[in-house]
Structures are given as C-alpha cells and as structure tokens.
Amino acid sequence: MLKVLVTGALGQVGSELVPALRRFYGTEQVLATDIRGAPAEHPSLGGPYEQLDCTNGNALRELLERHRVKVVYHLAAILSARAEADPQLAWRVNMEGLYNVLEAARQINAQVFVPSSIAAFGPNTPQDHTPQDTIQRPNTLYGVTKVAGELLCDYYALRFGLDVRGLRYPGLISYTAHPGGGTTDYAVEIFHHALRHNQYTSFLGPDTRLPMMYMPDAIRATLELMQADPARLRHRNAFNIMAFSCTPAELAAEIQKHRPGFKMHYAVDPLRQAIAESWPRTLDDSAAREEWGWQPHYDLAGMTADMLEKLAERALKEV
Ligand code: NAD
Ligand code: SER
C-alpha cells in the first residue's frame, strides 16, 4: 500500500486532510507530522504521528526513508499575518522547509503536494478574474515565499521530473480547526462569534472582497489534483481554484438570514487590510476546470448553512 506523509498536519488544512487521506489510503498508511508535540486530542491523531520540524532536512529525509513514503503533502507554513510579524521565521519555514521536502522527495522519487495561495499575487496583478498566468509581484513576505515556492516546484518538475503538484488555495473556511494567523481568518472567526455572542468585530473593512472556499471543496480539490492524469496537466503546479468570493458585509448578511439578531461591527486592522487589498477579488480557474475537471460544490449560501449547522452540532456535543 502507498505510504503518505503530511507535514504541518495539526493546522487548519491538515486537520481535515489527514482524516480524508486515512479514509482513502487506510489509517496506518498516513503518517501525520507537525513541529508541535501530539496534543491530547486532535482530528489528525488516531493514527501514526511523529513530531517533525520541516526545516530539519536530515530528520525529514530519515523519516521519509524509514517509512518508505511515496506521497508527501507539505502543509507546514507560516501564514500571511504571522509572516509579517516574523518574516525571518516565515522565510525559514516556507522556503527552507519546502526545499528540504523537494530534495528529500527527489531522492526517493515520491509524489509531492504543495499548496500555494492567492497571496502569490500582488497589487499590480489584475484583481478581477485573475488569470492563471499573470503578473506576480506580491508585497508580503508570505506572498514572496509562495511565488518562489511555485517557481521552485516548477523547477523540480522540469529539471528532475519530480511529480509535484499544487493549488492556489483561496481563503479557507472550516469548522474543525482554527486558522493559523492569516488575513482571511475573519471568515472563520465570524461563525464562532455568531454562535457564542451573536456579534462579531471584523478586522477587515465591510467591502473587502476576497476569494473564499469551504474546506470540503479544498480537500476534494487536493485529492482530485493528486489523482489527475499527469498527461492532461499542462500547469501541474499552482492552479487557481475558485468557489465564491465575498466581503465581510456579505458574509454577515448571509449569517443574518439564519440568525436575524446577529450584529456586525468593524475595527479595521491596517496591516491585514493592506494585505487583503493587495490580493485578487476573484480568480479565473479555467485551467483547473479544463486540465483536471475542477468544480466547486459550495457557494456562499451553502457554506454558511453548513458551517452554522456543523458548529451548532459540535456545541451540543460539548455540553
Ligand atoms: P496552519 O497555520 O493552520 O497550519 C500550519 C501548520 O504547520 C501548523 O500546525 C504548525 O504547527 C505547522 N508548522 C509550523 N512550522 C513548522 C515547521 N517548521 N515544521 C513543521 N510544521 C510546522 O496553516 P494551514 O491553513 O493548514 O495551511 C496549510 C497550507 O495551505 C500552507 O501552505 C498555507 O500557506 C496554505 N494555504 C492556506 C490557506 C488558508 O486559508 N488556511 C489559504 C491559502 C493557502
Ligand atoms: N488564508 C491565507 C492567509 O490569509 C491565504 O493564504 O494567509
């Protein structure tokens, strides 16, 4: 059976990708790893887990060889707002970590998944219907590492024939784990605050439009891309994928349809507002649709209804 290793497995994406991979490949086939020690309870546990710092190339290579890993999902990263607070750490984790993964995978000929982001675009990128191939001059450290990472992945595919694939995730909305310090985190926090306090104070202004995606779509996109016929992939890396795009005011209005008393307030954080304004508002994902059949299932209304239902169910179980 194929052996799979996931880095950054305790984060927002890993918390849902690891269980999905275990359902697909079998629990024992998927080794979850993260720089953090195993917590008492976590969705990425209940199967093999090891502590791994991806900036430690020797430890990473040793683990891949010991477990005869065939596929690596490299999720370890420092996200946009946290990266601005500590750019040196973000460079080490996002660049050295990626280099270590690609080098180790090259040596054992493993397949690799590397997420990029809407942050790989910058203020002079066309912001509406952002093309797959366009100007990429981001002005955040996170964005710089994402563009450099996309190029490095392309290089390893071209130069060494490594089967490395990737998606530019939009802002991801999920109920399993809290997000890890990004600019789109408001779109997750708002649901927790709506259920607990019936109000939320957004750190982005009301009209800040960003591409968003519900986690089930992001996980399905990841698995579909990794299983896609390589002969059909002209891009291979860094595919734009789009589900819906919304502003904080529109998301609040959608929540109000379910919770009429919900109140939205604004206290704009200039740092995260500037980051958001440098990113696309909508994406052209025709390459993903044509090359591997990408289709989102959730729009704003469907995601909102499901988030509220799932979080309410969870709250009931916790009582
Ligand atoms: P997250 O911050 O929730 O999780 C990242 C995980 O990496 C954390 O569990 C952290 O402990 C771990 N980590 C940090 N440094 C590490 C190191 N040196 N070695 C090993 N692990 C380390 O992030 P996420 O949302 O799960 O993001 C996963 C990937 O998806 C990242 O590449 C991110 O850039 C990308 N992405 C996420 C979003 C989103 O909205 N969540 C959007 C676009 C792209
Ligand atoms: N959601 C991520 C962030 O805000 C985008 O990559 O950092």
Side-chain angles (χ1 to χ4, degrees):
M1 273 295 276
L2 220 59
K3 192 91 188 195
V4 177
L5 182 140
V6 181
T7 70
L10 300 181
Q12 191 192 3
V13 176
S15 300
E16 305 208 24
L17 184 63
V18 169
L21 289 168
R22 286 188 172 145
R23 283 192 294 276
F24 190 80
Y25 289 105
T27 301
E28 293 306 312
Q29 300 310 116
V30 179
L31 174 61
T33 72
D34 200 286
I35 195 169
R36 295 183 261 163
E41 261 188 63
H42 192 278
S44 294
L45 301 178
Y49 181 85
E50 294 217 24
Q51 205 166 350
L52 173 72
D53 177 351
C54 67
T55 65
N56 183 339
N58 289 336
L60 176 67
R61 202 166 41 251
E62 190 277 320
L63 206 57
L64 290 182
E65 281 168 5
R66 176 153 50 92
H67 290 275
R68 298 173 196 272
V69 168
K70 293 282 176 238
V71 190
V72 181
Y73 287 81
H74 178 47
L75 305 180
I78 305 297
L79 273 70
S80 58
R82 238 191 112 197
E84 288 312 304
D86 194 343
Q88 293 77 14
L89 173 72
W91 180 265
R92 272 200 309 283
V93 176
N94 296 5
M95 292 314 305
E96 288 175 28
L98 174 61
Y99 173 77
N100 290 339
V101 167
L102 293 174
E103 259 307 288
R106 177 182 73 77
Q107 287 167 27
I108 58 166
N109 199 24
Q111 190 193 26
V112 186
F113 174 79
V114 179
S116 186
S117 161
I118 49 171
F121 299 112
N124 57 359
T125 301
Q127 283 188 306
D128 295 306
H129 218 55
T130 300
Q132 173 68 41
D133 302 306
T134 185
I135 302 162
Q136 290 183 266
R137 307 280 299 171
N139 57 6
T140 62
L141 198 281
Y142 177 63
V144 168
T145 65
K146 286 300 180 190
V147 180
E150 290 182 3
L151 293 173
L152 195 61
C153 290
D154 280 346
Y155 179 80
Y156 269 74
L158 201 68
R159 175 77 170 75
F160 302 117
L162 189 72
D163 186 2
V164 49
R165 306 181 186 192
L167 300 167
R168 290 180 183 134
Y169 287 139
L172 299 178
I173 302 175
S174 65
Y175 54 86
T176 304
H178 287 279
T183 301
T184 57
D185 294 11
Y186 90 86
V188 178
E189 289 171 6
I190 191 171
F191 285 98
H192 293 272
H193 286 245
L195 285 166
R196 272 199 217 118
H197 314 294
N198 223 17
Q199 59 174 315
Y200 177 65
T201 302
S202 170
F203 57 76
L204 294 184
D207 303 320
T208 315
R209 181 171 299 284
L210 287 169
M212 296 283 178
M213 184 174 286
Y214 196 29
M215 192 62 90
D217 270 343
I219 299 300
R220 191 171 47 78
T222 304
L223 300 178
E224 285 177 6
L225 173 63
M226 289 297 274
Q227 282 146 30
D229 176 1
R232 284 185 63 199
L233 300 182
R234 278 184 295 109
H235 285 87
R236 189 171 282 272
N237 267 304
F239 280 98
N240 283 1
I241 48 167
M242 177 79 191
F244 57 91
S245 140
C246 69
T247 65
E250 288 167 353
L251 180 52
E254 197 57 43
I255 291 173
Q256 277 156 354
K257 290 182 189 166
H258 301 263
R259 302 179 64 86
F262 175 70
K263 295 260 182 314
M264 184 75 155
H265 312 285
Y266 297 92
V268 171
D269 167 16
L271 173 76
R272 285 179 286 185
Q273 184 65 35
I275 294 176
E277 284 174 10
S278 76
W279 290 353
R281 289 185 282 258
T282 58
L283 302 167
D284 172 0
D285 62 0
S286 49
R289 288 172 187 260
E290 283 159 22
E291 293 177 40
W292 50 276
W294 164 242
Q295 283 284 342
H297 288 175
Y298 287 89
D299 59 9
L300 175 62
M303 176 280 296
T304 303
D306 202 62
M307 275 292 283
L308 289 170
E309 190 185 312
K310 295 293 185 337
L311 282 173
E313 277 169 16
R314 250 182 36 172
L316 271 180
K317 278 188 204 143
E318 282 161 16
V319 172

